[in-house]
């Protein structure tokens, strides 16, 4: 199933991750179609981060996770990354001692031949230039990434995935700690990205999810509780009980965030 | 603001070649003119340590690898060179065996692994290739298995100790504790002639400049940026599709090659290589200079190495016991309180005077 899209489907079957007898991910099935903008929600400790860790090779897992026809489980992190999967972390991890430009240039370079590595960077590569525009950090390109504000670091991380040219982006709480305007800008950025690539976003914020999700998966205690469109998931009684109910948050029937911005 | 940045960048572009030129004039022109023979040959020895420090700056300063076993590579380079020079001395004297083998030897035949070192080309190549090969083999296992900082440092130390102990035990073929001493000639030149000693100094100074150019190219290349990225966040680099083990391996192997070259040049400069020069204590000594001067800065590491070596030879004669403690103290202070070394002091002071605008800046 390959289209014009750079994205490719992720198929997870019976995924299981155990830490010293504690099962953090308990037999999860997940299908993400190319070009989807999927939100993965669930209470704290539901296993969302662990699921992404398993798919990207950071923790050992049993079951199966296939991307573009290749099995991912059991392969080293860098091999999985080279199949076209990129991720960000809950706490932004950029190379603080390197400039914004250097961060992006390194992200763009995994496919470079080794002898070109021994040369100095002469000009800014085209994809890096474009990513700088996209994430709005052109003016800060020569700043060390360590001095960036929290939200800017998250954008830089997303930019690094763009120049890495991944086909599947796994973003772990990318808008946590952002202001409303920054969230809005990030959401729109993710929508634009998902026109060409597949995007999975782990998120807590329900407003944000309602505004931008194309589809939603709800994880609870290591299991997949519900899947579908935003409306379907919100209507699901199980979800209301374990997640939305517990969040003690009224569930408006209409999306509100989009109405505020114009 | 843009104009000041570009003009500062333009200035920075001339700073490196300008500094290099100044260094070259000082090392190759001024020093041989003003220094008497004795001082110049001491400087030659210090510059050998500085060559090791250049490698330390690359592997430790940029790559975060605490290379506490550079004595191994210095020793391999030194012994490779000394073996050739001993064989050449013996041949010149009309003997079949080097002097110490006649003294301690159990058989009259040259050990098989000495034989290839008769060839000057083989020996020269080996001074660099042998350390690099050992580093590659060691690094391959260590970095792939993700052996972390402290364990890597201990392993390096253990290797340095093991090589020194092995050399001591093989008196008949390596000269044992004494090492390979009394080296007379250097590729046909009599080392007892002060003119030739000056030539050796010039060779060493030129080698240092060359090694610094090589290291600087690595620093400013994409590899150099990647190396810093690996140092700061190895895991993140992996998620970008790189194998950090390979990046570290390159830095480690290059640093080993530089230490080997330094060891090889040390032999004609000082006339000896011995286990005492390559074991645990000298291995720590190799990084102290870089730590004090500034391990992430090439010039800082070089000047630090020369300064510490000078202090050692000045102070250790007068207060042999005190020097050991002072050395330890220097290391702890530099690593613990001034990780950038003296090289960072200037920047630190400058920043204190003119606070940089730390505002995040608008998008
Ligand atoms: N390395 C680990 N060792 C032990 N337990 C872990 C580890 N990582 C996560 N867990 C546990 O697994 C569960 C799921 O964690 P996580 O995936 O981080 O949840 P989420 O991202 O959904 O908030 C939590 O109970 C957490 O304590
Ligand atoms: Mg999490």
């Amino acid at each position: 199933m390959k289209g014009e899209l750079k994205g490719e489907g992720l198929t997870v079957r019976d995924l299981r991750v155990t830490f010293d007898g504690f099962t953090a991910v308990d037999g999860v099935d997940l299908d993400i179609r190319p070009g989807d903008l999927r939100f993965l929600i669930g209470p704290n400790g539901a296993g969302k981060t662990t699921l992404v860790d398993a798919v990207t090779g950071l923790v050992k897992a049993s079951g199966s996770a296939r991307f573009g026809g290749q099995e991912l489980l059991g392969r080293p992190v860098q091999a999985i990354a080279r199949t076209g999967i990129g991720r960000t972390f809950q706490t932004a991890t950029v190379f603080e001692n390197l400039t914004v430009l250097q961060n992006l240039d390194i992200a763009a370079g995994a496919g470079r031949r080794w002898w070109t590595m021994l040369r100095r960077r002469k000009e800014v590569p085209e994809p890096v230039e474009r990513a700088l525009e996209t994430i709005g950090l052109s003016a800060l390109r020569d700043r060390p990434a360590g001095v960036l504000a929290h939200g800017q670091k998250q954008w830089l991380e997303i930019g690094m995935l763009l120049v890495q040219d991944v086909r599947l982006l796994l973003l772990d709480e990318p808008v946590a700690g952002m202001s409303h305007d920054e969230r809005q800008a990030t959401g729109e950025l993710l929508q634009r990205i998902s026109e060409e690539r597949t995007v999975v976003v782990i998120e807590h914020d329900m407003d944000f999810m309602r505004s931008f999700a194309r589809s939603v998966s709800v994880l609870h205690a290591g299991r997949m509780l519900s899947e579908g469109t935003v409306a379907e998931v919100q209507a699901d009684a199980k979800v209301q009980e374990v997640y939305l109910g517990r969040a003690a948050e009224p569930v408006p029937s209409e999306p509100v965030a989009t109405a505020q911005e114009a | 603001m843009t104009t000041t940045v570009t003009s500062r960048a333009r200035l920075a572009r001339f700073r490196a070649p300008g500094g290099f030129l100044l260094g070259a004039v000082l090392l190759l022109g001024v020093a041989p003119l003003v220094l008497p023979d004795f001082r110049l040959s001491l400087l030659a020895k210090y510059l050998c340590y500085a060559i090791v420090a250049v490698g330390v700056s690359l592997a430790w300063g940029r790559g975060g690898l605490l290379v506490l076993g550079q004595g191994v590579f210095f020793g391999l380079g030194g012994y490779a060179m000394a073996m050739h020079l001993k064989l050449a001395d013996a041949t010149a004297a009309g003997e079949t065996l080097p002097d110490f083998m006649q003294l301690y030897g159990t058989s009259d035949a040259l050990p098989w692994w000495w034989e290839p070192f008769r060839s000057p080309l083989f020996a020269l190549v080996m001074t660099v290739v042998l350390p690099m090969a050992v580093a590659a083999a060691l690094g391959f296992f260590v970095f792939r298995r993700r052996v972390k900082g402290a364990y890597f440092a201990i392993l390096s130390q253990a290797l340095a100790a093991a090589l020194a102990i092995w050399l001591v035990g093989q008196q008949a073929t390596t000269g044992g504790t004494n090492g390979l001493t009394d080296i007379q000639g250097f590729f046909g030149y009599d080392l007892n002639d002060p003119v030739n000693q000056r030539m050796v100094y010039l060779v060493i100074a030129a080698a240092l400049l060359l090694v610094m150019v090589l290291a600087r190219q690595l620093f400013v290349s994409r590899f150099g940026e990647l190396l810093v990225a690996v140092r700061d966040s190895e895991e993140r680099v992996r998620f970008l599709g790189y194998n950090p083990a390979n990046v570290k391996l390159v830095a480690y192997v290059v640093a080993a090659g530089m230490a080997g070259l330094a060891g090889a040049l040390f032999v004609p400069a000082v006339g000896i290589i011995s286990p005492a020069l390559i074991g645990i204590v000298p291995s720590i000594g190799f990084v102290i200079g870089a730590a004090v001067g500034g391990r992430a800065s090439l010039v800082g590491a070089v000047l630090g190495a020369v300064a510490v070596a000078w202090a050692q030879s000045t102070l250790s004669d007068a207060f042999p016991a005190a020097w050991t403690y002072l050395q330890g103290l220097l290391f702890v202070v530099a690593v613990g309180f001034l990780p950038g070394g003296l090289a960072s002091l200037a920047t630190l002071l400058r920043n204190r005077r003119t606070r940089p605008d730390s505002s995040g800046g608008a998008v």
Side-chain angles (χ1 to χ4, degrees), chain B residues 4 8 23 25 27-28 36 43 47 64 123 154 188 285 327 329 331 356 362:
Chain B
T4 58
R8 203 187 300 156
V25 168
L27 282 176
L28 299 173
L43 184 58
L47 293 188
I154 293 168
Q327 205 178 21
L329 194 71
F331 188 56

Side-chain angles (χ1 to χ4, degrees), chain A residues 19-20 22 24 42-51 90 172-173 204:
Chain A
F19 299 114
D20 304 318
F22 170 73
N44 248 325
K48 306 180 296 291
T49 299
T50 308
L51 174 64
Q90 231 162 309
D172 199 349
E173 305 197 15
H204 276 303

